[in-house]
């Protein structure tokens, strides 16, 4: 029931996008989603296509790897998505080809070219979390998620740029370089997993791993026009993920399609004895969700109850983002969903509660970086001085600020007023989500209040930067899974800027998000979400 | 420390329920920068006289981070701004609400507390900035009494 919503203001959308003009929501809801003349072929899963073409002998892993490496060489000088590119890519690809030619089994990710965020440990490959304090650090082990990827034949192509230790929303807080958004090189890719998102958008890799503490997978996915999947807290082992805020951190997945993000999630999910917070819940075969378009019924999502979160479309959200979200809701209705508005009364409290919790936990987690056992050391004549100088010179401005804010919030006498109170607010947020999800299968909202903004625009204004996380932080506080997928374009850049739709599900129900997301994506009309700056990308 | 005095005179007001969403949503997006300290109120379960604005030099010492004078100035201004903004949490009535330390999850996933040998020891040692045989090397710890 969308009668309370404003009609879509599509003037801000580019003309080639779907649902433009003066169509009303009612007329869209009754139109068939799949039988439209303007329909362009839906995006194809890179992982499933790779597997098919490798096994049929149509191409080789070496050919695929070479084409990705050459695209990296071509685009990296402008984009700067990677902090490190692996020297072993071709060698690993050749090994896969040899196995295939010998008729041996290969893993489900064989030949898949994967980027890994730099705060996820990769054995023998630099892993710095984009911080000076870990410059040149090479971990002695693989994170469990990386280990699983390698065991399944995936090729780690390199380590992607990020905001230092995940603290930021633009990737400008990297100690080493600023990543550009492939849709407009003067804009940020979002963050903190900006390198992982931009690399997938620019087809420098097929899929990538990121981490999401308050939106660090979903917001850059929205800014870069790719799919970003934040799993349920506990779904993926965090062993080898450099801890930022342990009660919130999860490893997440990027892909250019929902199927790719889902297949990657399936690969990295599951209980791990090295992470006591990982869950023993069954990991369902997500693959069965990714039916081909031909098998869709006319209302493939008939009866799915969707709650549109009212608070996410209020003042402060760009009008283009608002209309794209409302049109996405109409599209879901056209697919058979029952869309109603829901209210989360505690919604606005999530942002300050999140920043109290994240800062507090970071001040504790980052105490391990002391320059003694690994990382950069600044020598001094006294031990405390060594700590202070190593940390003072090793951490960037935003990291120092958050550690100090956390130190303040956890100080004796302040704990109840800040940290404990924020934990109580988390209880309120959890209850509100539970109530909303008791009546709905999924909830939807924008992924961010705006599309990608200019590099430097919010760099010196922490509160303006934090405000951009309003759509995503609550989901981390509640520990729920959410997927962001491109749903429209707004004006800006050479050919428009992508806007992401966020779908939030009940704990451990990624399956439903992937099913709804896949059908939404495959039936979305338009040109696909390929950035204009890319040479020769299909 | 003028703000300390202001904070100290603020008394507990009747806790407001969290029906403030519509207004705070937009204001949290725009972040009214100049929230006056007097405007903040604390509900009865916190002791307002304890809350003092951050002393950045002391915090940096506690967190073992050396800061230059210009960093203290720049960082300090930003930290005060954000801590001020955290103040809105004091308006929420949470008197009967249990804190949630993280998302709901099953327990009992702890592994047995038994030592295991990590094979790649050389690689760990290679990361250590200074060591002497089996010891990490650091400057002397006890300087003066």
């Amino acid at each position: 029931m969308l009668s309370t919503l404003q009609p879509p203001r599509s003037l801000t959308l580019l003309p080639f996008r779907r649902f433009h003009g003066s169509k009303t929501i009612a007329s869209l809801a009754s139109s068939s989603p799949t039988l439209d003349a303007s329909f362009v072929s839906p995006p194809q899963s890179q992982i499933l296509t790779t597997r098919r073409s490798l096994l049929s002998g149509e191409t080789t892993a070496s050919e695929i790897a070479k084409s990705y490496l050459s695209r990296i060489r071509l685009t990296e000088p402008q984009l700067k998505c990677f902090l490190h590119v692996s020297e072993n890519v071709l060698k690993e690809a050749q090994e896969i080809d040899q196995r295939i030619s010998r008729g041996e089994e290969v893993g489900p990710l064989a030949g898949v070219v994967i980027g890994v965020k730099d705060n996820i440990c990769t054995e023998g490959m630099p892993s710095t979390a984009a911080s000076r304090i870990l410059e040149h650090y090479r971990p002695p082990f693989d994170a469990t998620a990386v280990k699983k990827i390698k065991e399944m034949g995936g090729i780690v192509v390199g380590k992607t740029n990020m905001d230092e230790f995940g603290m930021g929303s633009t990737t400008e807080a990297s100690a080493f370089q600023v990543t550009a958004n492939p849709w407009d090189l003067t804009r940020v890719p979002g963050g903190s997993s900006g390198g992982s998102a931009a690399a997938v958008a620019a087809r420098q890799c097929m899929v990538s791993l990121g981490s999401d503490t308050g939106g660090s997978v979903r917001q850059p996915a929205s800014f870069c026009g790719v799919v970003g999947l934040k799993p349920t807290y506990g779904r993926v082992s965090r062993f080898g993920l450099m801890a930022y805020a342990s009660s919130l951190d999860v490893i997440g997945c990027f892909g250019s399609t929902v199927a790719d993000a889902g297949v990657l999630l399936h690969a990295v999910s599951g209980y791990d004895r090295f992470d006591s917070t990982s869950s023993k819940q069954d990991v369902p075969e997500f693959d069965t969700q990714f039916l081909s378009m031909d098998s869709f019924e006319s209302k493939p999502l008939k009866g799915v109850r969707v709650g549109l979160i009212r608070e996410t479309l209020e003042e402060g959200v760009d009008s283009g983002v608002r209309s794209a979200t409302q049109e996405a809701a109409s599209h879901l209705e056209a697919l058979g969903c029952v869309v109603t508005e829901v209210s989360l009364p505690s919604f606005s409290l999530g942002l300050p509660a999140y920043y109290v919790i994240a800062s507090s936990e970071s001040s504790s987690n980052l105490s391990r970086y002391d320059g003694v056992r690994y990382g950069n050391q600044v020598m001094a004549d006294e031990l405390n001085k060594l700590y202070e100088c190593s940390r003072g010179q090793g951490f960037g401005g935003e990291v120092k600020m958050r550690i100090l804010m956390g130190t303040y919030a956890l100080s004796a006498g302040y704990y109840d007023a800040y940290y404990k109170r924020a934990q109580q607010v988390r209880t309120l947020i959890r209850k509100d989500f539970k109530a909303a999800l008791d009546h709905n299968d999924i909830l939807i909202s924008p992924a961010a209040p705006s599309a990608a903004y200019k590099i430097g625009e919010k760099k010196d204004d922490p509160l303006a930067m934090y405000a951009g996380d309003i759509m995503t932080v609550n989901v981390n506080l509640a520990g729920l899974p959410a997927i962001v997928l491109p749903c429209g374009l707004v004006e800006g850049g050479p050919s428009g800027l992508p806007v992401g739709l966020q779908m939030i599900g009940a704990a451990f129900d990624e399956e439903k998000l992937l099913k709804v997301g896949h059908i939404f994506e495959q039936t979305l009309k338009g040109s696909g979400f390929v950035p204009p700056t890319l040479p020769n990308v299909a | 420390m003028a703000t300390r005095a202001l904070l100290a005179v603020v008394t507990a007001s009747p806790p407001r329920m969290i029906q403030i969403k519509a207004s705070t949503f937009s204001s949290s997006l725009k972040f009214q920068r100049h929230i006056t300290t007097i405007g903040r109120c604390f509900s009865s379960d916190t002791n307002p006289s304890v809350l003092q604005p951050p002393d950045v030099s002391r915090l940096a010492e506690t967190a073992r981070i050396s800061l230059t004078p210009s960093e203290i100035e720049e960082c300090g201004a930003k930290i005060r701004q954000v801590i001020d903004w955290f103040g809105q949490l004091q308006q929420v009535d949470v008197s009967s609400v249990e804190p949630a330390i993280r998302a709901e999850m099953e327990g009992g996933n702890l592994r047995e507390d038994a030592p295991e040998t990590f094979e790649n020891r050389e690689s760990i040692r290679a990361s250590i900035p200074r060591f002497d045989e089996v010891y990490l090397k650091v400057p002397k710890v006890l300087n003066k009494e």
Side-chain angles (χ1 to χ4, degrees), chain A residues 378-380 384-394, chain B residues 64 66:
Chain A
V378 177
M379 203 40 188
N384 281 341
K385 261 266 116 13
L386 180 147
Y387 296 149
E388 285 167 6
C389 294
S390 298
R391 287 161 67 79
Q393 292 177 36
Chain B
R64 299 266 184 258
S66 67

Side-chain angles (χ1 to χ4, degrees), chain A residues 282-303:
Chain A
D282 280 346
V283 183
E285 277 291 340
F286 300 132
D287 305 34
T288 53
Q289 305 294 321
F290 310 125
L291 302 169
S292 84
M293 280 258 319
D294 318 332
S295 58
F296 291 171
E297 300 156 20
S298 68
K299 301 272 183 198
L301 294 177
K302 195 169 177 207

Side-chain angles (χ1 to χ4, degrees), chain A residues 1 303-310 337-344 432-444 480 504-507 509 512-513 516:
Chain A
M1 298 278 91
V304 174
R305 296 161 304 164
V306 176
L308 175 57
I309 304 172
R310 183 185 301 145
C337 295
V338 181
V339 183
T340 51
E341 266 197 14
V342 293
S343 175
L344 299 178
D432 283 352
F433 267 118
K434 190 168 183 313
L437 284 165
D438 279 347
H439 296 102
N440 292 282
D441 294 297
I442 62 165
L443 306 176
I444 58 169
L480 301 175
I504 305 161
D509 199 3
K512 196 176 289 157
L513 290 178
V516 177

Side-chain angles (χ1 to χ4, degrees), chain A residues 199-220:
Chain A
V200 170
R203 308 315 192 247
Q204 293 179 323
C205 53
M206 296 179 196
V207 289
S208 60
L209 289 181
S211 65
D212 191 315
T213 304
S216 285
V217 163
R218 290 159 289 156
Q219 181 255 25

Side-chain angles (χ1 to χ4, degrees), chain A residues 275-475:
Chain A
D275 176 5
S276 65
T277 63
S278 65
S279 167
K280 287 182 173 162
Q281 290 257 355
D282 280 346
V283 183
E285 277 291 340
F286 300 132
D287 305 34
T288 53
Q289 305 294 321
F290 310 125
L291 302 169
S292 84
M293 280 258 319
D294 318 332
S295 58
F296 291 171
E297 300 156 20
S298 68
K299 301 272 183 198
L301 294 177
K302 195 169 177 207
V304 174
R305 296 161 304 164
V306 176
L308 175 57
I309 304 172
R310 183 185 301 145
E311 288 80 3
T312 62
L313 293 180
E314 287 177 352
E315 199 190 332
V317 180
D318 281 7
S319 61
V321 171
R322 224 180 297 172
S323 7
T325 309
Q326 285 160 346
E327 288 174 17
S330 311
H331 184 53
L332 286 168
E333 281 198 326
L335 292 166
C337 295
V338 181
V339 183
T340 51
E341 266 197 14
V342 293
S343 175
L344 299 178
S346 59
F347 186 81
S348 68
L349 298 170
L351 202 57
Y354 165 79
Y355 273 96
V356 168
I357 291 172
S359 301
S360 301
E361 295 183 6
S362 79
S363 77
S364 169
N365 271 324
L366 271 64
S367 63
R368 78 193 63 194
Y369 304 108
D370 57 9
V372 172
R373 290 154 301 150
Y374 43 76
N376 277 337
Q377 183 182 90
V378 177
M379 203 40 188
D381 54 4
E382 194 250 325
L383 184 59
N384 281 341
K385 261 266 116 13
L386 180 147
Y387 296 149
E388 285 167 6
C389 294
S390 298
R391 287 161 67 79
Q393 292 177 36
F395 291 142
E398 183 67 29
V399 172
K400 287 178 191 168
M401 198 174 118
R402 293 201 194 180
I403 292 175
L404 296 179
M405 291 192 304
T407 307
Y408 174 79
L410 294 176
S411 305
Y414 295 56
Y415 178 88
D416 282 3
Y418 292 109
Y419 192 64
K420 185 179 167 201
R421 189 163 271 268
Q423 307 275 39
Q424 289 168 310
V425 169
R426 164 151 49 191
T427 302
L428 297 177
I429 286 163
R430 232 158 67 169
K431 281 184 181 156
D432 283 352
F433 267 118
K434 190 168 183 313
L437 284 165
D438 279 347
H439 296 102
N440 292 282
D441 294 297
I442 62 165
L443 306 176
I444 58 169
S445 79
S450 73
Y453 41 86
K454 294 274 185 182
I455 291 170
E457 197 177 317
K458 298 186 180 175
K459 200 161 184 275
D460 293 317
D461 190 347
L463 290 185
M465 183 91 84
Y466 299 173
D469 301 336
I470 182 89
M471 304 295 176
T472 47
V473 291
N474 288 300
V475 178

Side-chain angles (χ1 to χ4, degrees), chain B residues 55-72:
Chain B
D55 173 345
V56 173
S57 305
R58 257 202 74 208
L59 289 175
E61 205 185 312
T62 310
R64 299 266 184 258
I65 297 176
S66 67
L67 294 179
T68 62
S70 69
E71 276 182 316
I72 291 177

